[in-house]
Amino acid sequence: MSGPLVETRDVEKRFDLGGYFWQQDKPVVRALNGVSIAIEKGESFCLVGESGCGKSTLARCIMGLLDLSEGEVFYKGEQIDRLSAKAMMPYRRRMQMIFQNPYASLNPRMTIQKTLEEPLRFHFPEMKNGEVRDKVEEVMTSVGNDPAWGTRYPHEFSGGQRQRISIARALMVDPDFVVADEPISALDVSIQAQVLNVMMDARDSRDLTYLFITHDLSVVRHFGTRVGVMYLGALCELAQTKTLFDTPRHPYTQVLLNAIPKLSTTELIHTPMMGEVPTAIKLPSGCVFHPRCPYANERCSREVPAGTTLDDGTVVACHAVEENRI
Amino acid sequence: MALLEVKNLGIEFPMRREVLRALQGVSFSLDAGERLGIVGESGAGKSIAAFAIINLLSKPGRINAGEILFEGRDLTVLDDNAMRDIRGNRISMIFQDPMMTLNPVLTIETQMIEVLKAHREISDNDARKIAVEKLREVAIPSPEDRLKSYPHELSGGQRQRVVIATALLTNPSIIIADEPSTALDVTIQAGIMALMLNLCKSHDMGLILITHDLAVVSQVTERVVVMYAGRVVEEGPTADIVTHPKHPYTRGLIAALPQEGTAGKRLNQIPGSMPTLDAIPDGCAFHPRCPHADDVCRASVPEIVKVGNQFSRCVKATELAEENSL
């Protein structure tokens, strides 16, 4: 197969905030402003950014959980963003999602067995009971869960166990592409490692492609093959993980990398960033980062930067990098 | 004499059928101006210990052993009136989620003045002056205007700064901060932690920082207490614990952190999960997850012993320190 597995082209998403019908310009949240990414097969593509930067919105747009305002989404070269629910069905089987909070994403009134069987019964109604049970057992074992858990309910499990059950549920229908939206942020440190390991094992044994959304850059360094950094609904840098951590180009990426708490024997030194995160209702003109950027000039406040591809393949949307000012 | 000394503290929760022991024999101390970190996963008992210090244990929890000495006075036997003089006045507390701590229907001004008036005879005007001064200290821009704001008008980072300013109003000698930066974004988190560090230094204020994040602890505190299943398992100077952890649990925690050298490989996970309070294993509570456990560990709870600069609750502490694989 040639071409990326999943691709977005200039995706925009706006949320209307109501207002009155006579109002000329009603308030609109501009959550995504022209985001283009291409995820190759076998990648663990990470999206990072602060809350409100649009990373979860992008994931939901890709999964078809939200309608796009502008732009296109492709899966193996086929456009999937304007499909009817019925036409979307085969893609839903191939694209699965793991959510952040394992306490909210499992139905408390369904046994684990039921929870895991449901996607199979839905996508493969012709499957026999025995086959379904075998499949549940196989997937449960592969994520390190005891298949005997089937008769129990979600409240009987700890956070890490629940998250492994959510992973099992996503893997039930043999997807190619899994979106994981902050899958480990709600878990304890020692459990985070367990869940990450399960996800990496599944990637290797099942040939999965991940879109991994997180705000934790230390996890990205460990898990990701490529990273997209988002700020206020725009992609500011897209690079190989190692390149991004060794030579962060975009000023925002540099700030973000400096902010990671590191295990150290020296005291915290912090250089604060100017200003606060603006809201997506009133986006700054030009480059959205310019009011907080130390390298901003007049052009930055006027012109939206387009992505520049550098020699090592990194794409940076920054006038200062383009003009070799930094 | 230490400013605060917790000696052999035990806390239990009598339930219908059994008594759950949330803390057993917990001892630590804090000198004036010292910064102490309490680290552990959820359920380790770190927050319970903090609540016990300011007598905010929720029912049916109760202290069943030990004492908490603040400036030589035992806080566990104080009546409500005497306790009110200390809580929020001499010892302040900061909680995780600033949106839950601040009252959404009152302005910042009302809430800050209320604190001052509760603890001393002061006019509204004088209280307002102190409030403005404290808001300035936590780097809130135009504090006079911000006093008139409601919590929802501020961003998450600003809100947490207001909460810190409120805790500082009465010039406490100890601040207890329970995961103060966990609910915030990385870039804002670094700012808040740097602020707390600087405030403690400039006011010669003691800090008890409760967190699950070893990286944050390593950058802010001078000494660390590591807790597991209601007991202190390791204690010592932060730099020593971070570089040469002695207890197998602390070692596991540090090894489980995603770090530069291990990118793409499996993480060193600690198998299993923290026991719940009704099923704490006999002997050393960590033995079912410990790679070094043998019959001695299963037989009895180990004493806490001095190894180098640290204290470790492990029968093999000395032995492990010698082979020191980390």
Side-chain angles (χ1 to χ4, degrees):
Chain A
M1 190 201 75
S2 62
L5 183 69
V6 175
E7 191 181 1
T8 70
R9 284 189 203 152
D10 298 317
V11 168
E12 286 186 27
K13 177 68 195 170
R14 296 182 291 269
F15 294 98
D16 293 334
L17 282 185
Y20 300 102
F21 69 88
W22 61 79
Q23 228 171 315
Q24 276 299 310
D25 41 5
K26 298 193 175 78
V28 170
V29 176
R30 300 168 59 89
L32 292 175
N33 306 300
V35 178
S36 306
I37 55 170
I39 304 172
E40 304 291 337
K41 192 162 170 39
E43 265 195 310
S44 301
F45 190 95
C46 293
L47 271 182
V48 292
E50 293 171 271
S51 33
C53 72
K55 49 195 197 302
S56 292
T57 307
L58 181 63
R60 280 158 195 267
C61 285
I62 292 174
M63 295 297 288
L65 297 176
L66 287 174
D67 291 328
L68 311 184
S69 304
E70 302 288 337
E72 291 146 340
V73 176
F74 294 88
Y75 184 84
K76 288 191 179 163
E78 290 160 69
Q79 192 174 351
I80 57 166
D81 52 288
R82 279 171 181 76
L83 294 182
S84 66
K86 201 171 167 211
M88 188 68 190
M89 273 278 283
Y91 297 102
R92 293 215 190 272
R93 180 185 76 72
R94 293 194 243 160
M95 303 158 73
Q96 287 287 315
M97 195 156 176
I98 301 166
F99 296 91
Q100 173 169 8
N101 188 346
Y103 292 86
S105 63
L106 293 174
N107 187 337
R109 301 179 62 171
M110 273 162 107
T111 60
I112 303 307
Q113 184 78 20
K114 268 242 168 76
T115 302
L116 294 179
E117 281 181 6
E118 197 182 27
L120 275 182
R121 302 237 183 249
F122 183 74
H123 285 287
F124 304 98
E126 71 287 350
M127 238 174 151
K128 298 210 173 56
N129 286 341
E131 289 174 338
V132 171
R133 268 197 302 276
D134 290 348
K135 181 78 188 167
V136 169
E137 198 176 320
E138 183 250 312
V139 175
M140 281 290 268
T141 322
S142 77
V143 297
N145 291 351
D146 184 350
W149 290 359
T151 53
R152 294 158 68 182
Y153 287 89
H155 73 263
E156 299 174 57
F157 296 99
S158 69
Q161 290 169 332
R162 279 184 221 209
Q163 199 58 298
R164 295 211 303 267
I165 293 168
S166 312
I167 295 174
R169 178 177 60 182
L171 297 179
M172 282 313 296
V173 291
D174 293 322
D176 301 323
F177 179 61
V178 173
V179 173
D181 190 355
E182 304 257 14
I184 59 167
S185 334
L187 305 175
D188 271 315
V189 193
S190 79
I191 309 299
Q192 287 189 351
Q194 289 179 7
V195 171
L196 270 187
N197 282 344
V198 164
M199 290 185 64
M200 289 199 282
D201 291 347
R203 174 181 65 194
D204 299 341
S205 62
R206 288 165 193 271
D207 208 14
L208 290 179
T209 305
Y210 280 118
L211 172 60
F212 190 94
I213 297 170
T214 181
H215 64 270
D216 187 346
L217 282 154
S218 56
V219 174
V220 172
R221 169 179 257 163
H222 193 81
F223 187 83
T225 49
R226 266 198 317 151
V227 192
V229 182
M230 288 185 71
Y231 182 78
L232 271 186
L235 204 58
C236 39
E237 184 161 356
L238 187 68
Q240 297 289 335
T241 309
K242 195 170 178 330
T243 323
L244 186 96
F245 280 90
D246 291 347
T247 48
R249 295 310 201 328
H250 197 283
Y252 178 64
T253 315
Q254 294 172 357
V255 171
L256 214 51
L257 286 185
N258 280 331
I260 315 180
K262 289 171 204 74
L263 205 58
S264 73
T265 49
T266 51
E267 243 168 43
L268 177 67
I269 303 162
H270 173 69
T271 30
M273 186 163 41
M274 295 184 286
E276 291 265 332
V277 184
T279 71
I281 304 173
K282 266 192 189 161
L283 284 184
S285 62
C287 171
V288 280
F289 188 59
H290 88 261
R292 311 182 72 189
C293 180
Y295 309 102
N297 63 11
E298 183 269 333
R299 186 182 169 206
C300 299
S301 62
R302 189 162 37 82
E303 203 178 310
V304 179
T308 323
T309 311
L310 307 177
D311 297 339
D312 54 6
T314 306
V315 181
V316 189
C318 178
H319 293 310
V321 173
E322 191 190 319
E323 294 163 7
N324 280 323
R325 281 191 280 129
I326 48 171
Chain B
M1 187 185 65
L3 179 64
L4 179 79
E5 202 168 0
V6 175
K7 276 188 188 165
N8 206 17
L9 183 68
I11 292 173
E12 60 180 21
F13 285 75
M15 307 308 265
R16 206 172 295 161
R17 289 201 198 88
E18 58 197 332
V19 174
L20 299 181
R21 309 225 273 172
L23 286 191
Q24 295 181 59
V26 169
S27 305
F28 56 84
S29 68
L30 182 80
D31 289 329
E34 195 185 22
R35 300 185 302 279
L36 174 77
I38 302 185
V39 187
E41 296 174 79
S42 21
K46 50 197 196 309
S47 294
I48 291 273
F51 284 130
I53 293 171
I54 52 172
N55 201 353
L56 280 185
L57 276 183
S58 52
K59 289 214 160 28
R62 61 179 183 219
I63 295 174
N64 66 341
E67 46 190 7
I68 301 167
L69 300 174
F70 176 63
E71 296 175 332
R73 276 205 293 174
D74 188 357
L75 299 186
T76 58
V77 295
L78 285 188
D79 61 33
D80 285 353
N81 263 329
M83 196 59 218
R84 223 168 283 142
D85 263 355
I86 291 177
R87 186 198 307 131
N89 189 19
R90 307 295 320 284
I91 305 179
S92 289
M93 183 140 182
I94 297 168
F95 299 90
Q96 175 169 355
D97 188 347
M99 203 58 214
M100 308 283 270
T101 333
L102 294 168
N103 188 330
V105 298
L106 298 178
T107 59
I108 305 298
E109 179 174 25
T110 320
Q111 302 188 46
M112 291 186 80
I113 290 179
E114 186 183 17
V115 172
L116 274 170
K117 292 199 126 180
H119 290 293
R120 55 184 75 154
E121 299 280 318
I122 192 171
S123 72
D124 280 8
N125 258 332
D126 291 345
R128 199 170 295 122
K129 272 184 205 136
I130 299 180
V132 168
E133 180 197 318
K134 295 296 173 189
L135 284 178
R136 197 163 280 135
E137 270 182 47
V138 298
I140 294 256
S142 51
E144 288 88 353
D145 301 336
R146 281 285 85 84
L147 274 182
K148 306 286 178 224
S149 308
Y150 287 91
H152 75 264
E153 297 173 273
L154 307 174
S155 67
Q158 296 268 18
R159 264 181 231 143
Q160 195 62 297
R161 281 172 196 269
V162 168
V163 171
I164 294 174
T166 313
L168 290 176
L169 281 173
T170 53
N171 294 321
S173 39
I174 300 178
I175 283 204
I176 302 177
D178 190 356
E179 306 263 11
S181 61
T182 312
L184 306 170
D185 273 314
V186 249
T187 50
I188 297 165
Q189 185 177 5
I192 294 286
M193 287 329 303
L195 173 71
M196 304 248 350
L197 179 62
N198 293 334
L199 286 172
C200 286
K201 283 185 177 168
S202 59
H203 290 64
D204 198 27
M205 202 163 48
L207 172 72
I208 299 182
L209 177 68
I210 298 168
T211 178
H212 65 275
D213 194 337
L214 271 165
V216 168
V217 161
S218 75
Q219 291 181 326
V220 176
T221 63
E222 299 159 289
R223 233 154 33 83
V224 187
V225 169
V226 183
M227 292 190 65
Y228 186 80
R231 285 184 195 272
V232 174
V233 292
E234 183 157 2
E235 196 207 323
T238 309
D240 289 314
I241 292 202
V242 168
T243 48
H244 302 289
K246 292 290 183 329
H247 196 279
Y249 175 63
T250 323
R251 289 179 170 207
L253 272 188
I254 291 176
L257 294 176
Q259 273 157 356
E260 202 172 348
T262 58
K265 299 197 193 79
R266 281 179 67 95
L267 288 161
N268 305 307
Q269 62 187 43
I270 308 178
S273 54
M274 167 106 64
T276 51
L277 289 181
D278 57 348
I280 295 183
D282 290 335
C284 171
F286 188 60
H287 85 253
R289 305 175 74 186
C290 181
H292 310 286
D294 60 19
D295 289 341
V296 185
C297 304
R298 285 181 269 272
S300 66
V301 179
E303 289 298 307
I304 197 152
V305 289
K306 191 163 201 281
V307 198
N309 287 329
Q310 291 129 276
F311 293 88
S312 167
R313 191 181 288 281
C314 179
V315 279
K316 303 194 168 171
T318 330
E319 210 177 299
L320 289 175
E322 277 162 15
E323 66 186 63
N324 208 346
S325 53
L326 266 169

